[in-house]
């Protein structure tokens, strides 16, 4: 990726023979003064560094300190009930580091000692039960990688291009490996009565967050997770226990999970009536729009990660995901959707998890309109934002899975735009 | 009481979470719902610059009340009892340790939000707590049936956990459904609700539910659902009244949830109906008997998820690869023009619908 690594042996030979033609990128190979980082012994090359006691829990390099979650203050009234965004443009692969997973709380981060945490199952069950965390760790476990996307991700973009960076347009998204117990295992333990049709999940935080979940989904692939990325959940992600509802909107993945109730109807909680209902131009609103649709975004280059290396080899990369299953294909366009090329998916392709794609080409330094378009295992193609607006108007807030356009100018500066 | 230690201040920081919805401390602190609390220990009551106090608090200040350990402790334990008529909608801290730790924490902030000398040594590592012993089954948590030898989940019960008791279930199971299931016995009138609302809710949601700053609007907006900027409130949008009762009981007032009685919530719900013109009689009484019979105006306008019927969601359509759109792409809208992206913006105005 770096310039000094770029000239291969062949081009260096060409340079020595021809003596000219070499552009600025090749100057480092000349007989002129070499780079000081190479010609002079550096401090880190001379003095010993910190010992093994210095960082009992390691954190990223000090030179990566800019890689962090960010809040958009005007979006919400108060940081205690607010949101911050995953810096997607700084990440690669499909796993989001735990400390960078976006946060959305409704009453701040509850700090609960796992010894004081309980999970109750009640309602239409044979036996209402209470579990300690120690009890939960005696059930058979599973490990699964899933994406979590807030239904309001890209919600600001319904009215046209608003925020300049994929962190802000698409960063209510993360993907980690969860460790926990299949929800079905716990419900079987309590014995769901035949009348049971819905499950209410409730959090222990000061918003007592609640959502109604269809029992079919609860018995299918939901999990009660205590681990993420190999360690305990982070407090921001619901330590010590959260619900995992693969492929469904993030608000349903109740954090600080303390109670599961079985009933025969949905409860019509605030988060499934006032919020997370999608208003249409007719004045009607859709409710229980649970599944997250097929979606993708180019994370690099993007407004916060412009092209700084000039023309020549360019790596375009991004993420694709679908609440229906896996991603079967991602296409990339560099001319605003006039022509498309199929990108390369690299890394694991797991159902309801992020997929990483790459599209490499030689940039000639001309203006680009970068877009990506995902197709999922159900054969659904990611729509354009105009397709979505034609069907839903622009007051839906939630479930905006439209194709994103980044405009690249000839200097490599990038902007979030809408195009003809 | 003597000098508070850094340890107390550290514990006090956690207690301050209860105040954060309304108060800020530190170098960037500004007045929020309540005044900033930098240098509050030693500060005359009602004196934060640029903050509009209640007459009650302003009067206390004029009478010479100065906040220190001795005056803050009773105030934080019972704000309304000590300053009658204060608009601080906070029930009070019940535990004396919390109060003293919190005061120790507040004392670490100077007027300018910097650290005071009271904080000296705060950087010293807190004493390590002894490791908790490995979790053994605690008292009263004996398995209700022995675990089968080689159980592997999937229908096989492991006999883990214990039966929930009735008082435990009633403590946590407070959800209410549209058909009234889950409503506790109780009642309250519009007139009573108005008093409770003014004291506990108006500081954020406004005197008439119109909202202060960017806190949520609770009333109005009727007839705007098809407008360019719909205003979704309880009167204009919410389908069920049970949701108001359920939500206010579990989550409000913000920062002091679960502090009101069941009757208070009936009265507040009645008052919210009144603010939304669903009832117009101040003597109207809401109770567990009639709540489920009251309909909100927008109930019929909710439909099930029919996204699958949208043309773009048809499966198996092979997308176009070449010459898919005519002409060169032209920019029709720039995000940069709106200049609302965090790093490069001084503009604090929301340009469009925020997230909810």
């Amino acid at each position: 990726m770096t310039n000094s690594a770029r000239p291969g042996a062949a081009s260096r030979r060409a340079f020595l023979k021809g003596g000219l033609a070499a552009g600025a990128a090749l100057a480092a190979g000349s007989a002129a003064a070499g780079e000081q980082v190479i010609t002079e012994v550096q401090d880190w090359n001379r003095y010993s560094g910190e010992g093994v006691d210095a960082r009992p829990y390691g954190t990223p390099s000090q030179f990566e300190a800019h890689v962090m979650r960010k809040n958009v203050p005007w979006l919400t009234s108060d940081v205690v009930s607010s949101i911050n965004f995953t810096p997607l443009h700084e990440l690669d692969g499909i796993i989001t580091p735990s400390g960078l997973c976006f946060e959305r709380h409704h009453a701040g981060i509850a700090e609960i000692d796992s010894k004081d945490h309980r999970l109750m199952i009640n309602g239409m069950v044979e036996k209402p039960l209470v579990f300690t965390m120690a009890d939960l760790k005696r059930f058979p476990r599973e490990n699964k990688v899933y994406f979590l996307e807030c239904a309001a991700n890209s919600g600001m973009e319904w009215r046209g291009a608003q925020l300049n960076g994929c962190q802000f347009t698409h960063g209510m998204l993360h993907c980690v490996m969860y460790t926990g117990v299949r929800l079905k295992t716990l419900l079987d333990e309590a014995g769901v009565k035949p009348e049971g049709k819905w499950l209410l999940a409730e959090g222990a935080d000061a918003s007592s967050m609640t959502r109604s979940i269809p029992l079919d989904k609860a018995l299918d692939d939901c999990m009660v997770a205590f681990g993420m990325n190999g360690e305990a959940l982070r407090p921001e992600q619901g330590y010590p226990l959260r619900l995992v509802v693969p492929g469904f909107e993030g608000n349903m993945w109740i954090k600080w999970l303390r109670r599961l109730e079985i009933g025969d109807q949905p409860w019509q909680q605030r988060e499934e009536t006032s919020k997370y209902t999608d208003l249409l131009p007719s004045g009607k609103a859709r409710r229980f729009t649970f599944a997250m649709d097929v979606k993708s975004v180019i994370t690099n280059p993007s407004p916060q990660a412009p092209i700084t290396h000039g023309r020549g080899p360019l790596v375009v990369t991004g993420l694709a995901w679908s609440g229906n299953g896996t991603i079967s294909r991602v296409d990339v366009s560099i001319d605003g959707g006039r022509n498309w090329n199929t990108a390369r998916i690299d890394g694991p392709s797991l159902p309801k998890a992020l997929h990483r794609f790459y599209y490499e080409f030689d940039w000639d330094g001309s203006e680009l309109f970068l877009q990506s378009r995902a197709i999922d295992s159900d054969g659904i193609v990611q729509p354009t934002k105009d397709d979505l607006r034609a069907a839903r108007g622009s007051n839906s807030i939630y479930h905006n899975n439209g194709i994103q356009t980044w405009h690249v100018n000839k200097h490599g500066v990038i902007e979030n735009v809408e195009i003809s | 009481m003597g000098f508070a230690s850094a340890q107390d201040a550290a514990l006090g920081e956690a207690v301050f979470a209860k105040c954060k919805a309304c108060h800020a401390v530190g170098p960037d602190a500004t007045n929020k719902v309540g005044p900033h609390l930098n240098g509050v220990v030693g500060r005359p009551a009602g004196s934060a610059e640029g903050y509009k106090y209640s007459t009650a608090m302003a009067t206390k200040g004029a009478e010479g009340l100065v906040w220190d350990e001795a005056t803050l402790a009773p105030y934080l334990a019972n704000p309304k009892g000590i300053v009658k008529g204060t608009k601080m909608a906070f029930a009070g801290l019940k535990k004396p340790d919390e109060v003293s730790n919190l005061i120790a924490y507040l004392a670490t902030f100077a007027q300018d939000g910097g650290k005071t000398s009271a904080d000296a040594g705060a950087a010293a590592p807190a004493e390590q707590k002894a490791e908790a012993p490995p979790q053994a089954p605690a008292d009263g948590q004996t398995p209700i049936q022995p675990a089968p030898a080689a159980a592997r989940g999937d229908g096989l019960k492991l006999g883990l956990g214990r039966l929930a008791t009735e008082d435990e279930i009633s403590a946590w199971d407070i959800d209410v459904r549209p058909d009234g299931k889950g409503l506790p016995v109780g009642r309250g009138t519009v007139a009573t609700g108005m008093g409770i609302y003014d004291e506990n809710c108006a500081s954020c949601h406004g005197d008439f539910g119109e909202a202060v700053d960017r806190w949520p609007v609770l009333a109005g907006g009727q007839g705007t659902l098809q407008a360019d900027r719909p205003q979704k409130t309880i009167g204009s949008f919410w389908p069920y009244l049970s949701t108001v009762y359920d939500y206010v009981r579990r989550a409000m007032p913000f920062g002091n949830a679960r502090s009101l009685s069941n009757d208070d919530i009936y009265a507040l719900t009645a008052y919210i109906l009144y603010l939304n013109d669903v009832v117009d009689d101040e003597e109207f009484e809401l109770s567990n008997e009639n709540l489920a019979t009251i309909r909100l105006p927008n109930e019929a306008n909710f439909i099930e998820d029919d996204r699958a019927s949208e043309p773009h969601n048809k499966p198996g359509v092979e997308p176009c690869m070449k010459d898919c759109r005519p002409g060169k792409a032209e920019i029709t809208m720039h995000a940069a023009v709106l200049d609302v992206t965090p790093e490069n913006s001084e503009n604090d105005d929301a340009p469009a619908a925020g997230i909810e």
Side-chain angles (χ1 to χ4, degrees):
Chain A
M1 278 280 283
T2 65
N3 288 339
S4 48
R6 177 72 58 210
S11 57
R12 207 154 37 236
R13 259 194 312 276
F15 172 72
L16 291 174
K17 264 200 249 152
L20 40 109
L26 291 184
S30 79
E35 272 194 286
Q36 285 180 5
V37 285
I38 296 175
T39 58
E40 286 176 13
V41 177
Q42 303 293 314
D43 283 358
W44 58 84
N45 189 216
R46 170 164 295 150
Y47 307 113
S48 315
E50 288 176 341
V52 291
D53 285 341
R55 305 176 192 201
Y57 193 109
T59 52
S61 160
Q62 56 176 304
F63 307 109
E64 296 293 321
H66 58 285
V67 180
M68 52 186 181
R69 301 184 281 221
K70 283 183 186 158
N71 174 19
V72 177
W74 54 256
L75 283 178
T76 49
S77 42
D78 192 278
V79 289
V80 171
S81 173
S82 192
I83 184 114
N84 62 21
F85 299 85
T86 306
L88 299 177
H89 62 294
E90 298 283 2
L91 305 177
D92 217 320
I94 66 164
I95 297 292
T96 315
S98 299
L100 293 176
C101 291
F102 83 94
E103 300 168 69
R104 201 313 182 213
H105 321 301
H106 289 259
I109 302 166
E111 293 277 2
I112 306 173
D113 187 333
S114 63
K115 292 199 287 300
D116 294 336
H117 193 72
R118 300 288 182 274
L119 176 67
M120 180 188 289
I121 302 183
N122 73 311
M124 293 177 166
V125 291
E126 310 288 340
K127 279 188 234 144
L129 293 176
V130 170
F131 300 107
T132 60
M133 290 301 298
D135 293 335
L136 293 174
K137 290 180 180 174
R138 295 172 67 194
F139 284 96
R141 294 176 207 172
E142 60 180 23
N143 292 286
K144 298 278 182 181
V145 177
Y146 292 121
F147 78 80
L148 180 160
E149 184 184 18
C150 174
N153 201 22
S154 316
M156 290 77 76
E157 308 289 306
W158 277 106
R159 288 174 174 272
Q162 307 268 338
L163 293 174
N164 220 8
C166 67
Q167 179 168 18
F168 307 110
T169 55
H170 290 76
M172 295 187 213
L173 174 71
H174 59 66
C175 182
V176 306
M177 180 180 280
Y178 294 97
T179 303
V181 180
R182 198 54 91 96
L183 177 54
K184 180 176 188 302
T185 308
L186 298 180
L187 295 178
D188 284 348
E189 190 72 30
V192 174
K193 293 190 176 161
E195 316 86 273
K197 294 284 174 294
W198 288 81
L199 173 129
L200 185 78
E202 180 180 79
D205 64 321
S207 76
S208 299
M209 178 58 62
T210 37
R211 282 295 300 258
S212 305
I213 299 168
L215 192 64
D216 288 350
K217 176 67 179 178
L219 295 175
D220 178 18
D221 53 0
C222 292
M223 281 169 79
V224 168
F226 40 78
M228 69 190 279
N229 290 340
E231 60 181 353
L233 290 173
R234 292 289 169 91
E236 311 94 286
Q237 305 302 334
Y239 176 91
L241 199 65
R242 91 171 305 166
L243 192 64
V244 171
V245 193
F248 278 20
E249 59 192 21
N251 181 258
M252 303 174 79
W253 298 45
I254 303 296
K255 299 192 281 191
W256 309 289
L257 179 71
R258 76 165 186 198
R259 196 167 67 90
L260 299 165
E261 180 179 349
I262 302 290
D264 56 0
Q265 293 170 29
W267 282 261
Q268 309 288 357
Q269 293 286 297
R270 185 252 189 173
E271 303 288 324
E272 54 208 24
T273 53
S274 169
K275 309 296 169 196
Y276 300 97
T277 46
D278 315 347
L279 185 59
L280 300 171
S282 60
K284 302 235 179 240
R286 288 188 180 129
R287 71 175 134 202
F288 302 139
T289 48
F290 300 135
M292 299 309 296
D293 293 308
V294 58
K295 188 166 174 180
S296 70
V297 65
I298 291 172
T299 53
N300 293 84
S302 64
Q304 296 158 288
I307 306 175
T308 53
H309 56 60
R311 60 188 61 192
L314 173 67
V315 175
V316 171
T317 182
L319 294 166
W321 62 99
S322 168
N324 296 326
T326 56
I327 293 297
S328 52
R329 194 174 102 201
V330 181
D331 299 328
V332 167
S333 171
I334 62 172
D335 61 5
R338 274 61 191 164
N339 297 286
W340 294 88
N341 291 290
T342 296
R344 185 165 63 79
I345 292 177
D346 189 75
S349 168
L350 301 167
K352 303 173 189 177
L354 293 184
H355 289 59
R356 172 63 60 178
F357 66 85
Y358 295 95
Y359 176 67
E360 295 95 351
F361 73 104
D362 257 331
W363 183 41
D364 63 5
S366 63
E367 179 180 67
L368 304 174
F369 289 98
L370 294 176
Q371 295 186 333
S372 63
R373 173 178 78 187
I375 306 173
D376 71 18
S377 49
D378 280 4
I380 316 264
V381 182
Q382 183 181 3
T384 64
K385 290 183 186 171
D386 287 340
D387 289 339
L388 288 169
R389 290 186 191 116
R392 306 183 195 166
S394 52
N395 282 325
S396 267
I397 302 175
Y398 307 103
H399 296 286
N400 182 347
N401 65 322
I403 290 174
Q404 175 64 44
T405 311
W406 303 129
H407 173 243
V408 182
N409 76 10
K410 60 185 196 306
H411 305 294
V413 174
I414 304 179
E415 217 177 54
N416 172 11
V417 297
E418 298 251 341
I419 54 169
S420 59
Chain B
M1 269 195 169
F3 236 133
S5 73
Q7 173 80 62
D8 297 336
L11 293 171
E13 182 170 1
V15 182
F16 190 68
K18 301 192 169 132
C19 326
K20 271 187 185 159
C22 305
H23 292 290
V25 287
D28 303 322
T30 52
N31 296 324
K32 306 206 306 177
V33 174
H36 78 79
L37 295 181
N38 284 334
V40 71
V41 180
R43 183 169 102 184
S47 68
E49 218 174 284
Y51 181 79
K52 201 167 170 309
Y53 288 91
S54 63
T55 332
M57 187 62 80
T59 311
K60 282 282 179 189
E63 287 168 8
L65 173 65
V66 174
W67 295 122
D68 57 20
E69 210 171 322
T71 54
L72 275 171
Y75 177 69
L76 296 180
N78 182 7
K80 295 216 153 78
I82 300 298
V83 181
K84 284 207 177 40
T86 177
K87 60 176 183 168
M88 168 154 148
F90 183 72
L93 294 169
K94 290 192 192 68
K95 300 188 191 135
D97 300 9
E98 286 195 338
V99 173
S100 59
N101 292 338
L102 178 59
I103 297 172
Y105 173 67
L106 290 173
T108 65
F109 292 93
Q111 282 288 356
D112 61 359
K115 288 285 180 170
T116 61
S117 50
D119 195 30
E127 198 186 310
Q128 285 279 296
K129 273 207 197 130
E131 283 281 299
Q135 298 240 9
D139 283 357
Q141 295 187 21
T142 8
I144 47 183
Q145 60 181 72
R152 271 279 179 275
D154 254 25
L156 277 182
K157 295 192 189 206
L158 302 194
L160 294 169
R162 62 167 174 84
L163 282 174
T165 67
E166 269 171 34
D167 61 335
E168 287 173 338
I169 296 174
S170 60
W172 277 5
D173 183 353
I174 59 162
D175 44 68
V176 177
R177 289 196 323 202
D179 61 3
K181 185 169 178 295
L183 279 172
V185 173
R187 56 193 61 248
T189 64
V190 169
T192 326
M194 180 173 355
I196 302 168
Y197 180 92
D198 287 349
E199 209 169 300
N200 295 280
C201 324
S203 58
C204 297
H205 293 294
D207 288 343
F208 307 101
E210 78 287 6
V212 174
D213 302 331
R214 259 176 268 136
W215 302 100
V217 177
L218 300 185
Q222 276 88 343
T224 65
L225 294 185
Q226 297 184 62
D228 187 35
R229 306 273 159 154
Q231 194 172 48
K232 296 190 277 182
T233 72
I234 292 164
S236 70
F237 188 67
W238 289 35
Y240 303 108
L241 186 61
S242 58
T243 315
V244 180
Y245 191 94
D246 177 287
Y247 181 70
V248 173
R249 183 156 66 143
R250 70 174 59 249
M252 290 291 137
F254 191 62
N256 195 17
R258 303 294 306 267
S259 60
L260 298 173
S261 72
N262 292 341
D263 284 352
D264 289 348
I265 312 282
Y266 278 110
L268 282 167
T269 308
Y271 184 59
I272 290 173
L273 281 177
Y274 178 81
L275 290 176
N276 279 289
D277 302 323
V278 178
V279 299
D280 52 14
D281 175 6
E282 290 188 19
E283 295 314 313
F284 172 79
E285 186 179 68
L286 192 67
S287 70
N288 55 305
E289 316 257 287
N290 65 356
L291 191 142
T293 65
I294 293 166
R295 293 271 172 275
L296 293 182
N298 198 45
E299 177 179 340
N301 285 323
F302 285 80
I303 57 171
E304 299 314 308
D305 184 359
D306 60 352
R307 283 176 292 170
S309 67
E310 292 173 337
H312 58 261
N313 278 332
K314 203 162 157 227
V317 178
E318 189 49 39
C320 170
M321 297 299 283
K322 288 274 165 271
D323 302 322
C324 304
R325 299 170 81 95
K328 192 179 161 312
E330 299 293 342
I331 297 178
T332 56
M333 186 175 185
H334 296 261
V337 169
L338 279 171
D339 194 28
V340 291
T341 312
E343 289 103 308
N344 53 24
S345 169
E346 299 296 303
N347 175 358
D348 204 30
D349 292 325
I355 58 140
E356 309 220 335

